[in-house]
Amino acid sequence: MATRLKPVDVVLVGMGFTGAIMARELAQDGLSIVGLERGGRRDTVPDWQSPAMHDELRYAIRNEMFQNVVTETYTFRNHTGEEALPIRILSSFLPGTDLGGAGVHWNGHTWRFLPSDFRMRSHYTERYGAQSIPHEVTIQDWGVTYDELEPHFDRFEYLCGIGGKAGNLRGQIQAGGNPFEGPRSREYPLPPMDPAYAGALFANATLELGYTPFQIPSANMTRSYTNPEGLSLQACNVCGFCERFGCEHFAKASPQTVILPKVFESPNFELRTNAHVTRVLLDGRGRRATAVLYVDGQGNEIEQPAELVILCAFSLNNVKLMLNSGIGQAYDPATGEGTVGRNYTYQTMSAATVFYPDDININPFMGAGALGTVIDDFNGDNFDHTGLGFVGGGYISANTTGGRPIEYHPTPPGTPRWGLRWKQAVRRHYNHTVGLSAHGSSMPTRGNYLSADPTYRDAYGQPMLRITYDFPENDLRMSRYITDRMTEIARIMGGETVSTAYRATPYSIVPYQTTHNNGGAIMGTDRRTCAVNRYLQSWDVPNVFVQGASAFPENAGYNPTGTVGALAYWSVKAIREQYLKNPGPLVQ
Amino acid sequence: MGSILSRSLRSYTIPGAALCAAAFLTWATASLGQPTPERGQQIAVGGGPGGAGVACFSCHGLQGQGDAGAAFPRLAGLDAIYLAKQMHDYASGSRPNAAMSPIARQLGPPDHQSIALYYAELPPQAPPVRATPADGSLVQWGAVLYAQGSAERGIQACANCHGPGGRGLNRVYPSIAAQPGAYVNAQLRAWQAGQRHNDIHGVMGSVAQRMTDEDIRAVSAYLAGLAP
Amino acid sequence: MTELTRRVLLQTGGALGAAVGLSSFAAAQRAGGTASYRFFTPDEAAFIEAAVDRLIPPEPDWPGAREAGVPTYIDQQLAGPYGQGDRLFLGGPIKPGTPQQGYQLGFTPAELYRRALGAILAQTRAAGASFSDAPASQQDEFLTRLEAGEADLAGVPSAVFFETLLANTIEGYFADPAYGGNRDMTSWRMVGFPGVYAAYLGLYTQHGLRYEREPLSMADAQRLHGHGSPAATGASMHR
């Protein structure tokens, strides 16, 4: 029998970036707020200091900062004709856990989706005609525009001290930035990162082809910075231990460094760690959330009643909770009915490698998570799609994130996978190789979706979330196209050898790709095809809001965090200014 | 292939790139003459253009070991590029010092570099004279700050950049072990007040501003007791 | 598998004939003497030591995996939480899956090694052969056939065992020496990776810089701390 606690105004499920933003904003209205984090507390000091933090085996291979599959994992299959089996070892994606969530161990690439990304169906129809959208692709407009989100992008970027150069400043195209981006109201808070050698070699090649290279907008501080919350960060030391690690220097924008200290100052906010939420409880009619059920660190079941429940638990976990709680109707690909679980998307990645003579020292270990040079010429609809047969695109970049040797020891094609020649090739090429990345969009289809697994349950007895996904033919066509563009660049970068590979199919959960899992609780204007409205409020249970990339109707060719942050500020503004004054559906 | 690389990277520049500090760190060998450690020794012993009165050894010791009593730092074994940059910065004023700035200005960049080359090759030695024995618990607190930082004040471990045992990591992040406590103390206060601002992007100023007086004394006492 | 063994390992004739009937003691003698294992039996250790040295062989200037301590690394991993599957979901039902669904066996890493090594040793012994005594070219051929999945090792497809062994070998070779491998940071020296203390602001912008610094490992932190360090005194971090 669960212990029922005294009611509070707000329960936040998950204390990563979106949970922290919700807490910070709502606490200012005097609401009583409980933040439930399934993991533990951690902070820059002492948890992320050298040398212990820079342990590649522990953090990047054994995945100590990530969700432990023993407690909770997902099942996976490529299509409905197969039986889904558990993901027994985390690999293709690495969901975070503990206070701060993935905001602790992310790389820091911070983008804004393009104006056209928020209205893909309308945009492609207007420009190319409805026939230009392949039938398999179920894109739909988001219900919110770039212009509406612009002030919220700006706010998130200033919160996080993003280093970059505006490419479009109030409609004026600026040198040094992304000429394709939507208009910004003001410059970035900090200047861009200076290019690394790999980025400069890439940039020169792209300039020869007439493209416009610029530095990736970075949440690794480029200067000392005090953000609008009054929290101070340091310039990034370019240590090469960014993704999968916490930052030792207070130089990466994480909830701990940019917002949580302010959250904790509020007397009406309470953090509960080791609090694993299993379900949101609904009233008899299933139209109102009454409480959140969780298991504490001692294994006790606790019921926390609340007026308002906000799911901030990462896209996959949000959808799992909705399915296991009955918030909205589960999507069925056979009938097309239901909204929870539909439009699951990922990211479509490919790579090229340039091998240089041994007097060209690349020094890959001098890296930072978002240190990279990029072209956006083949992202979104920044190029003419006429006759290409696909929608979407992606950016192409040369990143220098680090050279940690267990993961990074490139060898040219034809090198054996082990033995003396492998070892010699590793020695020869480690410090003389540049990797390029194509980071392509991910379109929804009828058959790619999330659902409750019928067989496998997590350690708390809840059905695991089942992922049914394979790359749509649209995305493979898109990816081949941008991989060809990437290869053209690689071939004029001055190396001795270039290796390149198209995206391997079918989608496999074995090699790491990204942790950009999106959709499943998408936003929109039509309650029949989306789970939340344009303010991220559940259509079915109005006192539940669902943050995060679960809201994306499709994934653009960018890292999602910037857009996740903007949507969080947009949503919480609506909660404060509209919902709290008049609780109920914000959109009829 | 050669043309791509030899075109160097000037065609790709980003607006506002603050490369000045980094640019210095490549040798700016002047046309006035090649720096050598022998020339550095001459100046260290004989004083160079300023004469014997400003010979380095008169303050920094015959082995470059420094003087704990007077808080003159150890130079022996410090990284050459780091040392040359400090001389340059004394001269330019980004590291203002009543004693060193005039001396540095009398010497030109080739002499800065010669001195640096000379001292870099000397075996590192601790200054022999200790002012007073340090308070044990203060040293211990300094060791904790050095290795772990302070959660309360948002200070990261000094070791992250200065390496284990204060030995430094590379030409940018210097060795700070076995420096006189009073010298470290004065430097941290100079960073804190913004008087010294010759590092990249103000990291040391940002760190020092978070330190209390006790933190500064503790770290100074700890570093003074380390092997060089 | 027996056929595999016969074809590959018996071609050395007399030398392997002498290997027949070797006692465990003799195997332990051959197993290097300096390493003491918590998980591996002497026979298993002899195989592992020989196998990893083919995966990452010795060269005059650069030690192979055996001298770098990789067998010790793997042994310690298997004897510890990793070996017990602390980050491996083993809940049932266990069913075979597609290659895209990844690892679907119900074995912890420790169980996987024990089964696979047991099968390899039993069959090589029965054929009167010894992997660790065979010449390198035959060892390579044997490993290649394991890699190609040509054998079932007591329920473990040989390709799964091989990939696990290869991954663990690479880990042990490149990980911090605190884990038992990468002795004296040999792999870091070989490629030029400076190790766990890392700060490069002001340096990474010097494109093409030849950066040579003695690498630093986690143990260096312990070794180089001066008096009064928390490691030495267990001081509290709060003041």
Side-chain angles (χ1 to χ4, degrees), chain A residues 54-55 62-63 66 68 76 83 86 88 194-195 237-239 363 417-419 423 427 430 456 507 509, chain C residues 55 57 59 62 77 87 89 91 93 95 100-101 104 147 163 171 179 191 196 198 200-201 204 207 209:
Chain A
H54 292 173
D55 183 339
R62 297 283 183 258
N63 296 331
F66 300 99
N68 190 341
F76 164 75
E83 182 179 6
R88 298 185 177 280
D194 294 333
N237 252 330
V238 196
C239 73
N363 298 330
R417 297 176 66 230
W418 50 275
K423 184 177 177 225
R427 179 161 73 245
Y430 171 85
Y456 294 92
Y507 167 66
I509 57 102
Chain C
L55 297 178
E59 295 171 88
W62 299 108
Q77 289 290 302
R87 293 219 146 223
F89 177 73
K95 297 183 182 184
Q100 289 69 38
Q101 291 173 311
Q104 293 298 333
E147 183 182 15
E163 293 304 324
E171 288 163 13
Y179 292 100
V191 300
V196 301
Y200 304 110
L201 188 61
Y204 86 95
H207 296 169
L209 178 71

Side-chain angles (χ1 to χ4, degrees), chain A residues 121-445:
Chain A
R121 182 160 290 275
S122 296
H123 174 89
Y124 274 84
T125 304
E126 285 159 14
R127 183 167 175 188
Y128 303 101
Q131 309 310 315
S132 67
I133 304 172
H135 177 71
E136 65 169 347
V137 171
T138 56
I139 47 175
Q140 54 192 73
D141 295 355
W142 290 44
V144 69
T145 65
Y146 172 86
D147 289 340
E148 288 175 305
L149 289 179
E150 200 285 329
H152 305 285
F153 275 120
D154 175 278
R155 186 159 183 208
F156 185 68
E157 287 162 1
Y158 271 74
L159 178 79
C160 294
I162 304 304
K165 178 77 189 72
N168 180 335
L169 196 55
R170 295 182 289 274
Q172 295 279 56
I173 304 301
Q174 319 271 309
N178 183 1
F180 302 101
E181 67 183 9
R184 301 176 166 267
S185 48
R186 56 176 173 165
E187 260 294 356
Y188 282 94
L190 293 180
M193 302 198 89
D194 294 333
Y197 195 13
L201 290 166
F202 170 78
N204 282 342
T206 62
L207 288 170
E208 289 216 354
L209 293 171
Y211 306 141
T212 313
F214 55 98
Q215 292 300 97
I216 291 177
S218 170
N220 319 128
M221 299 304 111
T222 60
R223 299 286 187 278
S224 295
Y225 179 67
T226 302
N227 76 359
E229 297 285 357
L231 298 171
S232 296
L233 294 94
Q234 313 254 3
C236 166
N237 252 330
V238 196
C239 73
F241 286 88
C242 211
E243 64 200 322
R244 311 192 188 189
F245 303 88
C247 177
E248 61 185 2
H249 285 299
F250 302 94
K252 178 159 64 174
S254 300
Q256 279 85 340
T257 54
V258 300
I259 193 170
L260 280 175
K262 289 297 174 186
V263 170
F264 296 148
E265 276 174 17
S266 170
N268 39 316
F269 173 80
E270 181 194 346
L271 173 69
R272 292 183 201 152
T273 52
N274 298 305
H276 186 103
V277 173
T278 52
R279 263 188 307 142
V280 177
L281 300 179
L282 305 180
D283 70 2
R285 295 178 321 133
R287 310 287 307 162
R288 180 179 169 74
T290 58
V292 163
L293 200 60
Y294 68 92
V295 179
D296 73 9
Q298 280 74 49
N300 303 311
E301 206 175 26
I302 313 283
E303 181 183 321
Q304 175 60 67
E307 294 297 309
L308 176 60
V309 174
I310 309 181
L311 304 186
C312 304
F314 180 63
S315 56
L316 296 174
N317 302 325
N318 286 346
V319 176
K320 178 185 178 185
L321 271 174
M322 294 175 78
L323 289 169
N324 290 340
S325 307
I327 300 171
Q329 182 191 347
Y331 170 73
D332 178 354
T335 62
E337 303 278 307
T339 57
V340 184
R342 82 189 287 149
N343 283 45
Y344 171 71
T345 56
Y346 191 49
Q347 201 89 63
T348 318
M349 308 294 291
S350 61
T353 314
V354 185
F355 297 91
Y356 284 94
D358 63 5
D359 58 340
I360 304 297
N361 300 317
I362 300 297
N363 298 330
F365 46 86
M366 300 187 183
L371 174 58
T373 307
V374 60
I375 60 163
D376 213 34
D377 299 66
F378 296 103
N379 210 341
D381 190 36
N382 298 339
F383 58 107
D384 189 351
H385 281 74
T386 305
L388 292 178
F390 63 81
V391 298
Y395 66 71
I396 299 168
S397 66
N399 302 337
T400 308
T401 61
R404 305 176 298 274
I406 300 176
E407 306 157 273
Y408 183 81
H409 42 267
T411 54
T415 307
R417 297 176 66 230
W418 50 275
L420 187 62
R421 279 177 44 220
W422 172 83
K423 184 177 177 225
Q424 289 167 337
V426 166
R427 179 161 73 245
R428 162 68 182 81
H429 293 287
Y430 171 85
N431 202 21
H432 314 290
T433 304
V434 170
L436 304 187
S437 175
H439 188 278
S441 51
S442 181
M443 294 300 129
T445 65

Side-chain angles (χ1 to χ4, degrees), chain C residues 55-138:
Chain C
L55 297 178
I56 306 184
E59 295 171 88
D61 289 337
W62 299 108
R66 178 177 170 159
E67 193 185 330
V70 169
T72 300
Y73 165 79
I74 300 178
D75 179 75
Q76 290 180 2
Q77 289 290 302
L78 294 176
Y82 165 76
Q84 303 313 303
D86 70 330
R87 293 219 146 223
L88 173 60
F89 177 73
L90 288 169
I94 306 284
K95 297 183 182 184
T98 64
Q100 289 69 38
Q101 291 173 311
Y103 184 80
Q104 293 298 333
L105 300 178
F107 307 132
T108 64
E111 286 166 351
L112 187 119
Y113 270 81
R114 193 116 280 159
R115 281 174 173 262
L117 290 173
I120 289 172
L121 290 169
Q123 294 183 42
T124 52
R125 209 177 292 125
S130 161
F131 178 87
S132 45
D133 285 333
S137 60
Q138 290 183 15

Side-chain angles (χ1 to χ4, degrees), chain A residues 45 49-50 175 193-195 197 200-201 203-204 207-208 213-215 222-224 232 234-235 237 248-250 360 373 492-494, chain B residues 1 4-5 7-9 11-12 14-19 147-151 154-157 160-161 173 201-203 206-207 210:
Chain A
V45 178
Q49 299 302 301
S50 278
M193 302 198 89
D194 294 333
Y197 195 13
L201 290 166
N204 282 342
L207 288 170
E208 289 216 354
F214 55 98
Q215 292 300 97
T222 60
R223 299 286 187 278
S224 295
S232 296
Q234 313 254 3
N237 252 330
E248 61 185 2
H249 285 299
F250 302 94
I360 304 297
T373 307
I492 62 167
M493 279 174 63
Chain B
M1 176 250 288
I4 286 270
L5 296 169
R7 197 177 308 135
S8 97
L9 309 160
S11 45
Y12 177 60
I14 54 174
L19 294 172
Q148 217 166 56
S150 162
I155 303 171
Q156 67 269 46
N160 294 343
C161 298
Y173 306 91
H201 300 328
V203 176
S206 180
V207 168
R210 301 182 191 210

Side-chain angles (χ1 to χ4, degrees), chain A residues 521-540:
Chain A
I522 67 173
M523 65 192 294
T525 52
D526 182 350
R527 68 170 64 227
R528 291 166 305 171
T529 60
C530 53
V532 302
N533 63 27
R534 73 194 218 104
Y535 300 109
L536 307 192
Q537 179 185 37
S538 165
W539 288 106
D540 305 278

Side-chain angles (χ1 to χ4, degrees), chain A residues 553-576:
Chain A
E554 94 279 349
N555 193 20
Y558 299 104
N559 308 60
T561 303
T563 302
V564 167
L567 282 173
Y569 274 119
W570 157 261
S571 169
V572 78
K573 180 169 194 273
I575 293 173
R576 293 180 72 190

